[in-house]
Amino acid sequence: AVGVLDDAEYVQDTVQMAAGDILVLYTDGVTEAENAHQEMFDVEPLKKVILASRTLPSKDIIQEILNAVRTFSKEQPQSDDITLMVIRSV
């Protein structure tokens, strides 16, 4: 959460996105979602889902990520919020 910690340091930078580039912003509820063995979903599976769905519209990429997390977690309750934002450069 940006701005929650008084002593947090932030830097500003600019990144040039080319046409077709995708920026995926997510909270740790995505990568820290756990299955019955207390294994976390983690970043590598997230990358795989993003790469596999990169040709889809942004809203569908979000749905694919959510589906992958739910499939991984199965019946485990979600212990943290999940927030996703996908931005596609045109």
Side-chain angles (χ1 to χ4, degrees):
V2 176
V4 172
L5 303 174
D6 291 333
D7 59 347
E9 293 185 30
Y10 301 98
V11 296
Q12 181 175 326
D13 202 354
T14 301
V15 176
Q16 198 68 21
M17 292 179 64
D21 282 354
I22 300 169
L23 174 64
V24 179
L25 305 170
Y26 60 94
T27 58
D28 62 353
V30 174
T31 52
E32 294 179 1
E34 292 183 346
N35 63 17
H37 304 287
Q38 295 183 324
E39 300 164 323
M40 288 190 213
F41 185 70
D42 216 356
V43 175
E44 287 307 313
L46 176 59
K47 287 181 186 178
K48 288 180 183 178
V49 174
I50 294 167
L51 286 172
S53 59
R54 68 184 178 268
T55 61
L56 299 175
S58 295
K59 66 181 178 122
D60 293 339
I61 295 172
I62 290 172
Q63 195 57 55
E64 289 296 317
I65 294 169
L66 292 173
N67 290 342
V69 170
R70 285 187 194 112
T71 299
F72 174 83
S73 299
K74 298 201 190 296
E75 300 298 319
Q76 288 298 110
Q78 185 65 33
S79 62
D80 200 354
D81 69 293
I82 289 182
T83 303
L84 284 161
M85 182 185 300
V86 176
I87 301 168
R88 178 183 298 281
S89 181
V90 291

